[in-house]
Amino acid sequence: MDPKSLYSVEAEAATLGSIIVSQKHVVVADVLCILPNVEAFFLLEHQKLYECLIEMLIERIPIDAVMLRTKLRAKGWLEDIGGVEYIGRVMESVPNELCWEYYAKAVAEKYQFRKLIQLKESIGTIIDDGEGDVEAKADEIRQLILTQTQTVRSGYHHLTGENGLERILSPASHTIATHFWQIDKMIGGLSRGELTVIAARPGMGKTSLALSLVANVVEHDEAGALIISLEQKAPAIESRMLARKAHVNTKSLLTTENQAKLREAAEWLKSKSVFLSDGANTIEAAAAVIHQVKVRAKIDVVVLDYLQLLRATKAGKTRNDEIGAMTRAIKEIAFGENVAFVLLSQLNRQCEQRPDKHPHLADLRESGSIEQDADYVMLLFWQDYYRKQEAVKKEGHESERLDGIAEVNIAKAKDNEAGIVRLLFMPQFTSYENISHAEQ
């Protein structure tokens, strides 16, 4: 490959020259939105010139050849870049200073191409190294792809009110109804580009709630959903969704009628846009599968079950740090892919050590920044779980005391009031359903 294909001296010089000739700080700022890193320039002298111009913007030093020369001399770089004569040549290289955006984008394109070349070489090095676990190598490659191809969102938008008005008048354009009427009444449904955390202790039915939510959105709104299951394999998840739809307890003896209901449920599931991945156990793998599915199908909601089973590809000082990095990455994925992201999470054992076992935000296991990163946090509590435990201890019959009521404590709700929602949990069908208005 011709080394000159990796960069354009003309585009780099024209970009820098346009800034100097314009004598405007705003042009530096505009170019920064396109070229946020000095490494975008290939030639070292151009990197040094660009770094000085950025510092002059930050320090509010006037932009002109004289002040640039002073800045370069102060940093000991004037002779490195070719002296005053080179500054002059850069300025003379500008065909039209008003075309700075065109020149900067040409530089950005070459920079992206160099990053791809570097990515290719890095992947080759990982593959050629015969030692190490294959899955670990795959995760390292995914991490490289994510970081090397990531683009920086910058710039600004003129607020005309149109987007805000559309959000208010046409909520369906940015939210997906859960069809749990109390939840939708309180928070308006799941918001695209935002992160909702459903947290609970084991046995509370958080997977059942998530699958019920998926079934609702694909049933009523023809929406698409992706389930990333780290706890159960695809057949188990499918079985639970069929049991819910058919209202059949698959653990009991299946009658001919129930078998027919399950077959009808299978046809229903086949007709819906529900996808599942049971092997994406890192953030990088999850991001990859979300993008893969979204390119090929309609995806509105992503469910990941559950956070603590994700494996960190980069070790943090503590597990807390790793969890924090993962929740921030998930929030970025939700925003970048414009999907409503539902993340299931375990709660620690603190709530079970209290007389009142209702969970609180502080019970989020390895909470790190879960609460901070989440737009919504729902804490799930099913009293019947503890009633059954008490009955076993007392060797009594608990059936008379069970009411099936589960509480969803919306403990954090961005732009909405927090509160508690009551739903009916039927574990035999792995189903959560609305309670009639009269029973509320």
Side-chain angles (χ1 to χ4, degrees):
M1 178 182 295
D2 184 358
K4 290 186 178 179
S5 65
L6 299 176
Y7 64 99
S8 169
V9 176
E10 294 79 12
E12 290 190 8
T15 301
L16 296 167
S18 296
I19 295 174
I20 302 167
V21 172
S22 74
Q23 299 187 349
K24 295 177 180 177
H25 287 115
V26 68
V27 177
V28 186
D30 288 340
V31 171
L32 261 173
C33 291
I34 301 171
L35 306 172
N37 303 311
V38 295
E39 292 82 9
F41 291 88
F42 182 81
L43 297 180
L44 185 58
E45 52 264 42
H46 290 169
Q47 291 183 10
K48 292 182 175 181
L49 280 170
Y50 192 46
E51 184 172 328
C52 286
L53 289 167
I54 294 171
E55 289 181 8
M56 292 168 74
L57 166 68
I58 296 170
E59 297 167 11
R60 311 306 295 173
I61 297 172
I63 304 289
D64 60 35
V66 174
M67 298 307 294
L68 177 58
R69 180 187 63 194
T70 303
K71 185 72 172 174
L72 285 162
R73 183 177 286 123
K75 294 175 76 69
W77 290 351
L78 185 58
E79 299 307 317
D80 294 344
I81 62 104
V84 177
E85 294 78 11
Y86 191 74
I87 297 176
R89 287 204 300 273
V90 167
M91 294 173 67
E92 291 170 2
S93 72
V94 182
N96 184 346
E97 67 180 87
L98 299 179
C99 294
W100 60 265
E101 185 176 4
Y102 174 81
Y103 309 141
K105 286 182 177 179
V107 174
E109 187 174 311
K110 291 291 186 181
Y111 177 49
Q112 193 65 30
F113 182 62
R114 294 198 303 275
K115 287 171 70 178
L116 290 175
I117 297 296
Q118 183 183 0
L119 176 62
K120 174 187 172 185
E121 294 172 351
S122 299
I123 291 174
T125 301
I126 294 170
I127 293 172
D128 291 341
D129 181 6
E131 299 180 359
D133 178 63
V134 173
E135 186 60 32
K137 288 178 181 289
D139 285 336
E140 190 175 352
I141 289 171
R142 292 188 192 104
Q143 174 69 23
L144 275 172
I145 292 172
L146 282 175
T147 54
Q148 290 288 352
T149 59
Q150 195 174 46
T151 55
V152 177
R153 297 184 184 91
S154 191
Y156 63 93
H157 300 280
H158 176 208
L159 296 182
T160 62
E162 293 179 5
N163 292 333
L165 191 62
E166 181 184 1
R167 185 180 177 93
I168 295 170
L169 300 182
S170 304
S173 65
H174 72 278
T175 60
I176 303 107
T178 67
H179 296 280
F180 293 121
W181 66 268
Q182 276 196 308
I183 292 177
D184 291 337
K185 181 179 179 181
M186 289 186 68
I187 65 173
L190 302 173
S191 296
R192 300 179 195 274
E194 295 185 346
L195 173 60
T196 298
V197 172
I198 298 177
R201 286 293 298 153
M204 296 292 108
K206 57 182 179 295
T207 300
S208 295
L209 178 58
L211 295 181
S212 296
L213 191 153
V214 166
N216 284 350
V217 299
V218 300
E219 169 76 9
H220 298 287
D221 300 317
E222 295 302 317
L226 169 64
I227 303 164
I228 300 175
S229 176
L230 306 183
E231 189 173 29
Q232 297 180 352
K233 292 294 183 181
I237 295 296
E238 272 195 283
S239 297
R240 296 180 72 167
M241 293 197 73
L242 296 182
R244 181 191 185 278
K245 178 64 179 175
H247 258 227
V248 169
N249 184 351
T250 57
K251 294 180 181 179
S252 62
L253 183 65
L254 293 178
T255 64
T256 302
E257 180 184 358
N258 284 344
Q259 290 180 35
K261 287 181 180 179
L262 288 168
R263 290 191 180 94
E264 288 179 12
E267 288 300 315
W268 168 85
L269 184 57
K270 184 179 179 180
S271 70
K272 301 301 178 183
S273 294
V274 183
F275 304 87
L276 186 136
S277 170
D278 56 12
N281 65 348
T282 66
I283 283 294
E284 293 76 24
V289 75
I290 290 168
H291 190 71
Q292 283 176 335
V293 176
K294 199 165 189 294
V295 165
R296 296 172 174 81
K298 174 181 169 62
I299 294 297
D300 303 283
V301 177
V302 174
V303 172
L304 194 154
D305 184 13
Y306 55 91
L307 173 62
Q308 283 75 19
L309 293 180
L310 276 174
R311 185 164 56 85
T313 52
K314 286 188 176 181
K317 291 182 179 179
T318 64
R319 180 59 176 167
N320 216 35
D321 293 335
E322 293 175 352
I323 290 290
M326 288 190 285
T327 54
R328 285 189 294 274
I330 289 170
K331 191 172 178 68
E332 289 176 4
I333 292 169
F335 183 83
E337 297 290 356
N338 194 34
V339 294
F341 206 118
V342 179
L343 175 64
L344 307 192
S345 176
Q346 290 277 35
L347 290 172
N348 61 37
R349 293 186 177 87
Q350 282 182 315
C351 52
E352 295 190 345
Q353 296 169 357
R354 298 190 296 260
D356 181 357
K357 294 177 173 54
H358 285 78
H360 307 305
L361 281 174
D363 297 325
L364 278 169
R365 174 180 290 178
E366 300 160 322
S367 56
S369 57
I370 297 176
E371 180 185 347
Q372 175 184 328
D373 292 331
D375 297 289
Y376 300 91
V377 176
M378 301 182 184
L379 304 176
L380 187 57
F381 179 73
W382 184 44
Q383 184 67 59
D384 283 357
Y385 176 81
Y386 297 106
R387 288 171 179 158
K388 289 179 180 180
Q389 288 185 333
E390 291 173 9
V392 170
K393 290 178 182 178
K394 297 177 181 178
E395 298 182 352
H397 298 282
E398 83 286 351
S399 57
E400 295 181 2
R401 298 185 57 211
L402 302 183
D403 58 17
I405 302 300
E407 295 179 3
V408 181
N409 178 9
I410 303 176
K412 179 184 177 182
K414 189 182 76 171
D415 301 329
N416 293 280
E417 290 186 11
I420 295 177
V421 169
R422 299 168 77 238
L423 298 174
L424 181 63
F425 180 33
M426 293 178 284
Q428 69 274 27
F429 305 138
T430 65
S431 178
Y432 271 85
E433 295 185 6
N434 286 304
I435 300 174
S436 69
H437 291 257
E439 293 178 280
Q440 291 292 329

